[in-house]
DNA sequence: CATCACGGTGGGAGCGCTCCCACCGTACCG
DNA sequence: CGGTACGGTGGGAGCGCTCCCACCGTGATG
């Protein structure tokens, strides 16, 4: 007759204590071996490792977290209200990168959905309740209070994309300036004379940098920046349509368009087609993001690729670094380490230009 | 001069004990209030709640997990080696659904990447080490040992898609049979006479069911299933190309194609175009999945939509149910509850048919 | 008026681990 | 040859919570 275990499922797992007994050593020694302390003799270490293997011992996360005040978990905070965030491959790729960086460690990834303002406040509380060792914040809005809230709570955090030129928090960004510049340089090289620009919302730092890159490329090519050739979009397809219609009305002679996102480029394409302009013969079109849309558009869309998976990877590394430093009582922020990363973008040339 | 806290960041958070003292009650009573036990008088409850609010108390997850042997977290196991999994919106949508279902609860979502076979084994260990209360398994292969491993460990699990007709584990599937049938019915209604089928790998249960649905629709329309009009693909674009070329060689008179996935439909489209067939005038094309590709293909692709987000939601509900039942010492598996869900699919008609 | 039942409550024990202090022995020093 | 240093080790204390048992008071019961 099977004896019923006190509680829980599938029988109790072995504890540190049991491993210690089996190896004929003390609890502290086993703990030292498990945690890779150098202060253990080789003989003892081998003994303990054998016992661990025999018993199939796995440390209890909860107990460790409670005793050591460290969870070996980080959270990726997802701004859920934005469906856009899910629709674009951005999300998947970021997670892919995070997963890769985490694979080399014992750290777990927690997904947290931050909805409205109250939920964000609740989230902040939870973060304070030692649920995770650090936080990855993606797709942060300019005026979002969350990053600073998290920072004040003393929770290590890394954000994707700087919110401004003088970002204080550790961050990983892609080279928006270089990306915008490369797109326009490409159009110039292709012999395009009248290049129109559809920008993203300019209060978003990344969108503004893209635009500044475009302007720099134009200037380098000896062309004056023409306000008639610039229209602001809002990263939506509809916004791209509106901007394109506007530009076409003002300057029917344009022969190239750079849109600050693929989605806006998609909207622009529809307007161009309706106006009877052929792509790329009459008008060259370049987008930004190198999203799925770009590869499946007709014609396929030239676009600027951001290394999103790599951003996820670097964000994670930065965060793990910060966590390690803080637990060693010397925040990386105080060691003058580089905590702002900017990764290169790449122009992917396809049929639309 | 600020007194340095013993350890950890940002000062200690209030504990149950402190709340108890503040409220002038015992520790047990506070615990009861926090956990919503009915065995507390209204007066006392109000007292405790006030103290909780004043102190901004949040229970320590680790301590609770240790004491109660329950983590209030579930894991979504992601089969990482498949890049396909990330590329398709499947992943994002599943997570979206899971997030929605979890939003109503206090349960956290852990993302676990299961790479090769050893990593899966390691994963199984961790699952046993009370890291999570349950597991969501997505995109499970036919011969994958993981589901049974998890089950043997006694960890509640729900899988997406049945592995066979007599799936034992709780699962949420979409109506692949109905989806395949609807696609072919649609082609029949459109007056197509010679309907070719590109199947997925038939050892994948879902793919086989789709195919069986197709055959059922053909039979219902009084058409014999013609082996010449069936070719097997492997869910890749290249596989779709090969299958389409084969079909076209065998039956140049075909006027409709159903592909078991949008990606294969994409491959088929290229071959059809090269062969000078117009879509939909000469050949109607229908895909499956209603992925981003479908919306951006030229012409836009008619496709069968699976309610993926809803599947994520239902999987989560099923899992939370199972967890609740088990902790109440009566597994849902023993109560004869329905643990296999099949959700309806929907045909989205676009320009390709 | 003693007895019982029961809603309501306090607090001990213990979950499995890390941290840290005490201690042991050996090697090296003056 | 006593003193000091130090690598190596054992185990007590405690992390913050839940569980459960003992207990208290009240009102119904015999």
């Amino acid at each position: 007759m099977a004896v019923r275990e006190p509680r829980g499922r599938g029988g109790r797992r072995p504890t540190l204590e049991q491993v210690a007994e089996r190896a004929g050593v003390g609890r502290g020694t086993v703990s030292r071996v498990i945690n890779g302390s150098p202060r253990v003799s080789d003989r003892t270490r081998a003994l303990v490792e054998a016992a661990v293997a025999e018993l199939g011992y796995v440390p209890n996360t909860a107990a460790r977290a409670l005793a050591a005040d460290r969870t070996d978990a980080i959270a990726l905070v997802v701004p859920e209200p934005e469906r856009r965030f899910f629709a674009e491959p951005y999300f998947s790729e970021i997670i892919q990168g995070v997963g890769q960086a985490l694979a080399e460690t014992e750290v777990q990834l927690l997904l947290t959905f931050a909805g409205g303002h109250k939920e964000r406040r609740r989230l902040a509380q939870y973060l304070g309740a030692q649920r995770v060792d650090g936080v990855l914040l993606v797709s942060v809005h300019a005026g979002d209070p969350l990053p600073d809230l998290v920072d004040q709570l003393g929770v290590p955090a890394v954000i994707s994309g700087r919110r401004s030129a003088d970002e204080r928090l550790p961050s990983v960004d892609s080279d928006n300036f270089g990306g915008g510049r490369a797109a326009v340089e490409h159009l110039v090289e292709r012999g395009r004379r009248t290049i129109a620009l559809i920008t993203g919302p300019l209060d978003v730092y990344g969108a503004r940098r893209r635009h500044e890159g475009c302007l720099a490329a134009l200037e380098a090519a000896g062309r004056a920046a023409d306000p008639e050739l610039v229209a602001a979009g809002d990263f939506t397809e509809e916004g791209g349509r509106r901007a394109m219609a506007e530009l076409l009305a003002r300057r029917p002679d344009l022969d190239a368009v750079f849109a600050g996102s693929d989605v806006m480029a998609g909207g622009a394409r529809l307007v161009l087609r309706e106006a009877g302009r052929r792509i790329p013969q009459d008008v060259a079109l370049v987008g930004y993001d190198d999203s799925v849309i770009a590869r499946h558009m007709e014609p396929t869309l030239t676009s600027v690729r951001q290394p999103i998976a790599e951003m996820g990877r670097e964000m994670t590394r930065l965060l793990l670094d910060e966590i390690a430093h803080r637990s060693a009582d010397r925040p990386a922020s105080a060691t003058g380490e580089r905590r702002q990363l900017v990764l290169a973008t790449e122009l992917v040339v396809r049929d639309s230009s």
Side-chain angles (χ1 to χ4, degrees), chain A residues 58-82:
Chain A
V58 182
N60 180 312
T61 326
R64 173 176 287 180
L66 182 58
D69 195 27
R70 139 181 88 88
T71 61
D72 288 326
I74 62 173
L76 176 64
V77 177
V78 179
E80 208 202 352
E82 305 189 63

Side-chain angles (χ1 to χ4, degrees), chain A residues 8-270:
Chain A
R9 66 196 179 216
R12 296 250 65 72
R13 311 223 116 230
T15 70
L16 239 205
E17 190 102 39
Q18 287 165 33
V19 174
E21 192 182 2
R22 176 88 168 214
V25 300
R27 229 172 48 250
T29 302
V30 177
S31 176
R32 258 166 246 134
V33 172
I34 298 292
N35 293 291
S37 159
R39 307 176 114 356
V40 183
S41 71
D42 289 349
R43 222 183 65 82
T44 310
R45 181 184 310 277
L47 235 51
V48 172
E49 277 166 355
V52 165
E54 281 170 44
L55 263 45
Y57 170 74
V58 182
N60 180 312
T61 326
R64 173 176 287 180
L66 182 58
D69 195 27
R70 139 181 88 88
T71 61
D72 288 326
I74 62 173
L76 176 64
V77 177
V78 179
E80 208 202 352
E82 305 189 63
R83 310 291 285 211
R84 190 167 61 82
F85 187 65
F86 278 106
E88 281 294 301
Y90 188 85
F91 174 57
S92 300
E93 282 194 46
I94 278 279
I95 290 194
Q96 218 175 127
V98 172
Q100 283 165 9
L102 250 32
E104 307 155 10
T105 72
E106 299 283 77
V107 176
Q108 294 286 323
L109 179 63
L110 227 68
L111 229 55
T112 326
F113 302 93
H117 273 286
K118 325 142 210 171
E119 276 134 330
R120 289 176 111 83
R121 204 154 268 289
R122 214 184 65 160
L123 169 70
Q125 277 216 323
Y126 278 119
L127 294 181
Q130 15 295 36
R131 212 181 260 270
V132 291
D133 295 337
V135 183
L136 257 22
L137 297 168
V138 294
S139 183
V140 174
H141 289 292
D144 197 327
L146 193 57
D148 292 316
L149 213 66
V150 168
D151 193 42
Q152 278 163 32
L153 278 167
V155 180
V158 175
I159 66 179
S160 74
R162 288 164 295 178
R163 289 167 295 170
S164 69
D166 53 334
E167 178 63 58
R168 294 172 16 261
L169 260 43
S171 70
V172 175
D173 204 352
S174 70
D175 183 9
N176 287 296
F177 183 90
R181 189 176 52 196
V184 169
E185 275 171 2
H186 166 72
L187 290 170
V188 168
E189 275 167 27
R190 284 285 203 257
R192 302 290 168 169
R193 306 298 318 163
T194 314
I195 302 172
L197 306 174
I198 300 178
T199 74
L202 290 181
D203 56 331
V204 172
Y205 183 68
R208 196 169 72 238
R209 289 299 286 162
R210 273 172 216 179
H211 185 53
E212 288 167 2
C214 293
L215 297 181
L218 285 175
E219 195 170 342
R223 321 237 181 128
D226 184 347
E228 272 200 336
L229 283 169
V230 176
D234 56 1
F235 280 145
T236 69
E237 181 170 328
E238 180 49 30
R241 287 174 93 120
R242 264 201 308 271
M244 190 69 248
E246 218 173 282
L247 289 167
L248 220 42
R250 286 206 293 252
R251 294 292 300 263
D253 61 319
L254 60 82
D255 63 359
V257 178
F258 167 73
S261 80
D262 286 352
V263 177
M264 290 197 296
R269 164 179 163 275
L270 294 174

Side-chain angles (χ1 to χ4, degrees), chain A residues 319-330:
Chain A
L319 183 60
L320 294 181
D321 263 23
E322 180 75 21
I323 292 168
H325 280 137
R326 287 209 201 177
S327 69
D329 248 336
R330 46 183 180 87

Side-chain angles (χ1 to χ4, degrees), chain A residues 299-339:
Chain A
T300 55
L301 181 68
T302 295
S303 190
V304 178
R305 201 183 105 68
Q306 309 185 63
I308 301 179
E310 197 183 335
M311 288 175 68
R313 229 176 303 148
E314 293 301 337
M315 285 177 73
T316 309
R317 295 221 180 99
L318 230 51
L319 183 60
L320 294 181
D321 263 23
E322 180 75 21
I323 292 168
H325 280 137
R326 287 209 201 177
S327 69
D329 248 336
R330 46 183 180 87
S333 49
T335 67
E337 240 169 86
R338 200 160 46 107
R339 300 159 71 229

